[in-house]
Amino acid sequence: MNDLLAEQPWIVSMMLALVGGALVYGWLQTGKKPAAVMGGIAFALIPVAFMVASNWETDREQIEALIYETADAVERNDFERAYQIIGDEKAEAMARQELPQFEFTMAKVNKLRSIVMIEGASPKEADADLSVKVDVSTKRGGVKNIRVVRALQLRFRKEGDRWRVVEYRHSPIAGGPDQFSTP
């Protein structure tokens, strides 16, 4: 219910409008003032639903913002900032081995397919599935500024009030793993 209110204010507003309309219709048919008052309250709650949605940041919204901030850090080749969101030693070691080999001129989230909260996980966990595109060159020479599109799967865990990546995998968008895919 919290996610519905915070992430879907249009749905909540339509429900409030239906309830308000039904109550006003009931008042017009019966003449009972309490129905009119309750209908007016339902209509008055519509802007409140939008105010709540704009001020309430859900876990999904926090994760989405973190994904875009990390893409910005990679695009700027600020790998230390990118490492800060990793909360697992193995995943951080893998990132520290992979990222410095490349120089990025662009790193964008191409499509954020899903952010799924894992029910019953303690602490809270979520899986994100997205595709990214990067313009990249190798620092050892050879490959110069090529555009690469990759599928990226991230596992997040909430540590205190911060979401951190505890596992990640990347692979080609189509087909099986390639020489750059994570095992």
Side-chain angles (χ1 to χ4, degrees):
M1 180 64 180
N2 294 342
D3 289 340
L4 179 67
L5 182 59
E7 294 178 0
Q8 303 293 332
W10 285 104
I11 293 173
V12 173
S13 297
M14 287 189 306
M15 290 188 300
L16 286 169
L18 283 172
V19 168
L23 287 167
V24 168
Y25 179 76
W27 167 64
L28 291 172
Q29 296 301 312
T30 64
K32 297 190 180 200
K33 285 188 181 180
V37 171
M38 290 173 27
I41 290 171
F43 285 124
L45 287 175
I46 292 172
V48 172
F50 281 97
M51 286 182 3
V52 167
S54 66
N55 291 318
W56 189 348
E57 187 176 40
T58 65
D59 289 333
R60 277 187 193 85
E61 292 169 335
Q62 290 174 4
I63 291 170
E64 184 176 351
L66 190 58
I67 288 169
Y68 284 103
E69 288 170 19
T70 306
D72 181 59
V74 170
E75 182 173 314
R76 296 172 189 262
N77 294 292
D78 185 359
F79 302 137
E80 289 302 320
R81 196 170 109 210
Y83 301 145
Q84 289 176 0
I85 72 149
I86 302 174
D88 178 73
E89 290 178 17
K90 183 179 167 188
E92 185 175 345
M94 193 165 63
R96 285 185 181 275
Q97 180 183 1
E98 289 178 348
L99 287 175
Q101 297 178 39
F102 303 101
E103 184 175 335
F104 296 87
T105 54
M106 182 197 56
K108 300 283 183 215
V109 175
N110 204 28
K111 182 174 184 181
L112 183 55
R113 288 186 218 119
S114 67
I115 298 174
V116 178
M117 304 306 293
I118 299 172
E119 295 296 323
S122 180
K124 289 182 178 181
E125 289 189 348
D127 286 332
D129 184 18
L130 56 142
S131 65
V132 295
K133 65 180 172 185
V134 296
D135 287 347
V136 63
S137 302
T138 57
K139 288 192 176 175
R140 294 186 306 251
V143 177
K144 293 286 184 200
N145 210 26
I146 63 166
R147 177 152 298 164
V148 180
V149 180
R150 304 287 287 177
L152 183 60
Q153 292 82 36
L154 304 168
R155 167 71 53 101
F156 286 89
R157 181 175 298 137
K158 193 164 191 177
E159 296 176 356
D161 61 345
R162 280 186 70 197
W163 285 96
R164 312 255 325 219
V165 173
V166 293
E167 183 181 326
Y168 75 91
R169 291 179 309 283
H170 59 85
S171 60
I173 292 290
D178 62 7
Q179 71 269 22
F180 299 110
S181 299
T182 50

